[in-house]
Every structure is written in C-alpha cells, then in structure tokens.
Amino acid sequence: MTIRIAFAGTGYINKVHAQAAQNLGLELAAVVNHRPDSMMEFGKRFGITRQYESVESMLKDGGVDALVVSTPNYLHAPQTVAALNAGLHVMVEKPMAMNALEAEKMNEASEKSGALLMVAHCWRFDPDVLWLKEQSSKLGRIIRTKGYGVHTHWGPSGWFTQKRFAGGGAMADMGIHALDTARFLLGDPQPVSVYARIGTHYKDFDVDDTGVIIVEWDNGATSYIESGWWQPHSDGLEAATQLYGKEGFGQLFPTKVEIRKTKEERIDVIESGFEFPRKEHCPQSLYDDQLKYFVECVEKKQKPTPGGMDGLVNMKVVDAAYESSRTGKVITIK
Ligand SMILES: NC(=O)c1ccc[n+]([C@@H]2O[C@H](COP(=O)([O-])OP(=O)(O)OC[C@H]3O[C@@H](n4cnc5c(N)ncnc54)[C@H](O)[C@@H]3O)[C@@H](O)[C@H]2O)c1
C-alpha cells in the first residue's frame, strides 16, 4: 500500500520533504497552511488538491496515513499531538518542540495512540556522518567531541528570531544539529549535565545568536558545541563534528579518521573519499534518505531512530543550556 502523506507548512523545508515524497513515489495526499496563496502554490507545484487551513480540518476528512510537520516551532507540538491522536504517523522537524515539556507530551501521545513519531534530525542520514560513525570504533574510547552549527554572515529572519514562535534562537535552530550529530556519533548516550554561555550579540532579537555549550554524557564523553547566526567565522561549512578518541581522531568535512595509538607510531590516515567541498551542504538526497527511512518504519511498524525520545533528549539539553546560561550554573539532567 502506498503511504498517503500530508504536509503541515509550505515553506522552505517542506518543499524539500514534498520533493522527497515525490521522488519516493508516495501519494502526496493533503497540505495544511493558514495562508491560501502559499498553499495553492505548493499544491500546484506538487499536485496536491486537498488543501486545509488547519490540521484538525484535514483530520476530519481522513484519508491520510502520515504527516510531515514543518511549521514554526510553536506549532510542532499541537499539530503533532492532534495528528498522533488521530492515528497518523508523524515526522516533525527539529527542534521537535518549544521545550522538553512539550516534547514529553508528544511522546505520550505517540505511546497512547501507537502512531509513530520521528524527529527530522537529518544529519543521521548523511553519508559522511554515517561513514564516520562506522569508522569511530577504530578510535578507541571517545573522550570528547567538538562541533558546531553556525551560519556565517547570515541568519534567518521572521518567526525564527521571535521567542514566542521559535522558543530559542541559534542554539535551538543550529546548535541542535551539532548536538544531535555528536550524540549519534557517540552511540546515543544520555546527558548528565550541561554548562552553557549563550547570548545575543550580533542582532537585536529576543532569541540568542551565539553560544557555546558543554555536555557531559553518561558514557564519560564530553561534547563541546558552538551555535551561531551572523558569526564572522566558522571552522568550515554550516555544521561539522570532530571526535577525539584514545587511539585516534575523526572529523567531518573533509571526512577522515587518523589512527595513532602512540607518538612513535606512524599515523594511519583513512580518507572517506567523499567529495569535499560538497556542491551542496544539505543536498536533496539527504532528505530523500530521511523520508525513505520514515516510510520504512511506518511500513514495518518499527519505532524510528531518531524518534520522539531522541528529540526529547535534545530538548532537555537545549532547555538546560538556556538555564545554565541564565543562572551561570552547571545544570544536572535527570
Ligand atoms: N533539517 C533541516 O535541514 C531544516 C532546514 C530548515 C528548517 N528546518 C526546520 O523546519 C521548520 C520550518 O522551517 P522553514 O525554514 O521551512 O520555515 P518557513 O518559514 O520557510 O516555513 C514555515 C511554514 O509554516 C507555515 N505556517 C505558519 N503557520 C501555520 C499554521 N498555523 N498552519 C500551517 N502552516 C503554517 C508558513 O506559512 C510557512 O509555509 C522549523 O522548525 C525549522 O527549524 C529544518
């Protein structure tokens, strides 16, 4: 049976997800947006005639199996919960919610209805990231990671920069990519504590545009993560992560590992062979692979990873980072 998929939001990233759905041969069943002009354009482009002003009105009509939620962050939880309660499987964009409390409610709705919840932490589907994860077993125990999610001389505008719509700024938008990538490469440990310094120094927003956070994980590793919009510099493309192991080092973009157990030994460099620099940092194929995985999980009735619980872990770290920055204290995560 072909999955009948719907889209909440008709902006930048849902065009990419709808393209992915077309590429995968899914049935693009319906679209939701409160703005008819934008919805009509989206409907025309992707051949979707069922168009609704709200998720609730779409649910009343039925005939949809799954929903992709790519609206401003404050709508992620209510739209996802409404869809899950109606038995629709949901893939929701990152950050999955405004905060961990909302994320918990989304997980509860998924548990109760049995409908699947996936969070679109897209870097888990990136070939370079997957290669580094595979190679990471050669690095010995990983002691620390260093990563960033940063836009240089650029940043988003509109709802992204307003706390009541976005929840947080560059940390919730870009830092979370680096956070989830570090956690994925470390084998999905649980966070123990967070220390952060986050601020707004480049623009006049009520959300943050720069930050650093240090996360201590329950496997003993520590992650250092930078977030930013409008920064004068970043160590490379929009997002990357390095791994420091007892017996070697690994990095993304250019993606390679270097194995050397002692100073006397020759460094054994293993190159990934992936193109660098890439033509596009976030190519369509990344989102095709992500949606393909979501659909496979729906077909096999298998809980996805990154699922709602992974999204919740990230939200807990982001919440703790803001609290740490506000109080100047290390925040313990339970
Ligand atoms: N993983 C990635 O690579 C990636 C990239 C970009 C954005 N995102 C995430 O995706 C989400 C959307 O970002 P975007 O860049 O597409 O934003 P956007 O502003 O381009 O799109 C948001 C869309 O939501 C619509 N919308 C607003 N209120 C609505 C409502 N009540 N009902 C239905 N639709 C409504 C807007 O009209 C717009 O079409 C964000 O959470 C963002 O963090 C992820």
Side-chain angles (χ1 to χ4, degrees):
M1 190 190 89
T2 309
I3 291 202
R4 296 165 300 179
I5 196 157
F7 302 87
T10 55
Y12 167 72
I13 203 66
N14 244 1
K15 292 197 180 95
V16 177
H17 294 318
Q19 186 59 56
Q22 265 192 349
N23 294 348
L24 295 171
L26 307 181
E27 185 182 328
L28 282 69
V31 58
V32 180
N33 192 315
H34 65 306
R35 283 177 45 212
D37 52 336
S38 166
M39 186 153 62
M40 265 153 60
E41 194 194 311
F42 191 95
K44 208 169 145 197
R45 177 163 162 189
F46 295 105
I48 308 174
T49 49
R50 286 181 57 191
Q51 301 176 1
Y52 297 91
E53 278 192 9
S54 71
V55 168
E56 286 74 11
S57 55
M58 179 194 77
L59 294 172
K60 257 187 216 146
D61 276 0
V64 175
D65 305 304
L67 177 68
V68 180
V69 175
S70 306
T71 44
N73 303 343
Y74 77 105
L75 293 168
H76 290 184
Q79 291 179 335
T80 298
V81 169
L84 289 169
N85 285 345
L88 268 65
H89 308 289
V90 176
M91 182 175 88
V92 62
E93 263 301 344
K94 48 51 65 179
M96 76 181 281
M98 298 285 272
N99 50 49
L101 197 65
E102 283 189 357
E104 266 162 13
K105 297 209 167 103
M106 293 156 85
N107 278 305
E108 280 164 21
S110 169
E111 281 300 316
K112 208 167 146 198
S113 74
L116 302 175
L117 175 58
M118 173 164 155
V119 183
H121 284 299
C122 57
W123 289 101
R124 291 183 182 234
F125 300 91
D126 184 90
D128 285 66
V129 174
L130 289 166
W131 183 88
L132 183 57
K133 180 153 168 63
E134 202 185 289
Q135 298 295 319
S136 64
S137 60
K138 298 179 180 157
L139 306 181
R141 188 163 73 81
I142 295 168
I143 310 297
R144 66 186 172 90
T145 75
K146 187 171 128 189
Y148 61 88
V150 165
H151 287 307
T152 47
H153 299 290
W154 185 83
S157 52
W159 67 264
F160 278 96
T161 62
Q162 291 165 268
K163 196 167 185 210
R164 67 197 162 113
F165 298 132
M171 178 56 67
D173 179 42
M174 294 299 291
I176 205 164
H177 279 305
L179 168 66
D180 187 69
T181 305
R183 181 167 177 259
F184 176 59
L185 290 170
L186 287 170
D188 286 330
Q190 293 299 315
V192 174
S193 72
V194 176
Y195 177 72
R197 302 306 295 156
I198 304 172
T200 312
H201 298 283
Y202 291 88
K203 294 280 167 181
D204 188 16
F205 301 141
D206 70 352
V207 293
D208 49 294
D209 59 15
T210 194
V212 294
I213 76 174
I214 294 173
V215 185
E216 188 197 340
W217 303 100
D218 69 354
N219 64 359
T222 302
S223 289
Y224 169 82
I225 292 155
E226 297 172 353
S227 63
W229 296 331
W230 297 101
Q231 307 293 285
H233 172 84
S234 78
D235 289 341
L237 301 163
E238 274 179 32
T241 298
Q242 298 177 339
L243 306 176
Y244 293 79
K246 288 257 292 184
E247 292 162 15
F249 166 79
Q251 68 166 46
L252 292 169
F253 315 130
T255 305
K256 60 176 180 181
V257 294
E258 297 173 358
I259 320 284
R260 182 161 73 165
K261 291 180 191 151
T262 62
K263 202 172 168 222
E264 291 68 41
E265 257 178 48
R266 192 177 56 86
I267 299 179
D268 184 11
V269 180
I270 308 171
E271 305 275 357
S272 67
F274 289 116
E275 182 185 27
F276 180 83
R278 295 173 162 194
K279 280 190 200 79
E280 279 177 279
H281 192 50
C282 304
Q284 177 67 44
S285 56
L286 175 65
Y287 301 98
D288 290 1
D289 289 349
Q290 176 174 252
L291 194 66
K292 186 166 178 262
Y293 173 74
F294 173 61
V295 169
E296 280 167 8
C297 288
V298 170
E299 284 168 348
K300 293 180 193 155
K301 298 187 174 63
Q302 168 196 313
K303 269 195 182 188
T305 305
M309 296 310 281
D310 299 296
L312 171 62
V313 167
N314 290 332
M315 291 315 306
K316 281 185 180 174
V317 173
V318 170
D319 282 3
Y322 285 128
E323 190 186 339
S324 169
S325 190
R326 205 173 51 244
T327 60
K329 293 191 171 129
V330 174
I331 305 300
T332 304
I333 297 185
K334 281 155 220 127

